[in-house]
Amino acid sequence: MSYQKTKTKQCRLVGVPVQDGAGRLGCEMGPSAYRTAGIAKALSDLGHSVTDLGNVAPLPQRPMSHGNAALKFLPEVAGWTAALSQVAFEASAGQDAMPIFLGGDHSLAAGTLTGLAQRAAEMRRPLFVLWLDAHPDFHTLETTESGNLHGVPMAYATGLAGFDGYFPPPPARLDPHNVCMMGIRSVDPAERRALETSGITVHDMRKIDEHGIVALLRPFLERVVEADGLLHVSLDVDFLDPGIAPGVGTTVPGGATFREAHLIMEMLHDTGMVSSVDLVELNPFLDERGRTATLMVELLASLMGRRVLDYPTRSF
């Protein structure tokens, strides 16, 4: 696999203070925590241009009801999705653009994925997605039992049925064959059945334990390079082991280690293909003195060109 030469990126920070899709309060503070943790300086120190576009606000939506009585904040999440799809399309315009979406819960990906898919279609390049998460977020409005809509964005973006009339019509859909999920370790039965026929590549933590990061990730990255695709990385805090990243409301034991996570980021940087990033599910209310926010910023810096050996020794 040949790699592109590293380029200076036009980083565009987009705050998304959405918590309507999560099961508990706190994610709306995520964008402020990333800014406090020095995300802009971390990027500019690496030579990238950084523009903070501020925070997105949801578009107003009509009241709506659904046969699944468990659903929570359906109009609100639909409003966020409509706004974010438009913002993601606009923020990804221009040469070397790198929108970085600061969540906020993972429901934001319903908007970012579809807006970025629209941009890719306009550029006539395929969009690939690396989904780093403990959960596949592959429920539909009918199948979710918790009713928390951070569990539906991948199903919506890839065109599963049941969203018409509730979520906005997507400007473009994501090809599920271009999605690779890593770190999965919590899957509901309905999601498991849907994933079996979806075409999505799923590497759960058992596969990572058995084969290692490199053997699983490299074939996917080779596909991206060969197709000259755009690569979106959606990084959920709960991809990481809660022992190193406690600031999340959906902790699942057995997540990625510090070194595994940095290895993924370094491999992504080596390709030169990453064109956009989600940082999601940070809940500062549950964090320990900014520990998780700081780690997420460090991982982003690794993706953008900083190596682990460049890091100062930390005491936490």
Side-chain angles (χ1 to χ4, degrees), residues 24-55:
R24 60 194 305 172
L25 302 179
C27 283
E28 69 175 1
M29 298 185 288
S32 293
Y34 286 124
R35 292 178 174 117
T36 302
I39 190 168
K41 185 177 186 302
L43 294 168
S44 62
D45 283 352
L46 292 168
H48 302 292
S49 170
V50 182
T51 303
D52 193 329
L53 301 179
N55 288 351

Side-chain angles (χ1 to χ4, degrees), residues 248-304:
V248 63
T250 52
T251 54
V252 184
T257 65
F258 177 91
R259 188 66 204 111
E260 287 171 333
H262 273 292
L263 176 58
I264 290 172
M265 298 302 127
E266 291 170 4
M267 290 179 68
L268 288 168
H269 172 73
D270 288 345
T271 69
M273 303 300 290
V274 177
S275 54
S276 51
V277 178
D278 296 330
L279 302 177
V280 302
E281 295 288 347
L282 173 65
N283 189 329
F285 188 76
L286 304 175
D287 205 1
E288 301 170 357
R289 301 176 63 187
R291 177 183 181 187
T292 307
T294 299
L295 175 56
M296 291 287 279
V297 170
E298 290 178 349
L299 288 172
L300 178 66
S302 186
L303 186 153
M304 298 300 291

Side-chain angles (χ1 to χ4, degrees), residues 83-130:
L84 281 165
S85 180
Q86 180 179 340
V87 169
F89 177 71
E90 294 171 354
S92 56
Q95 187 175 10
D96 299 324
M98 170 75 84
I100 301 170
F101 302 95
L102 313 178
D105 70 64
H106 220 161
S107 68
L108 68 82
T112 60
L113 291 176
T114 51
L116 294 169
Q118 181 185 10
R119 174 63 61 194
E122 182 183 83
M123 297 175 67
R124 297 185 179 181
R125 295 174 66 185
L127 176 65
F128 291 80
V129 174
L130 180 62

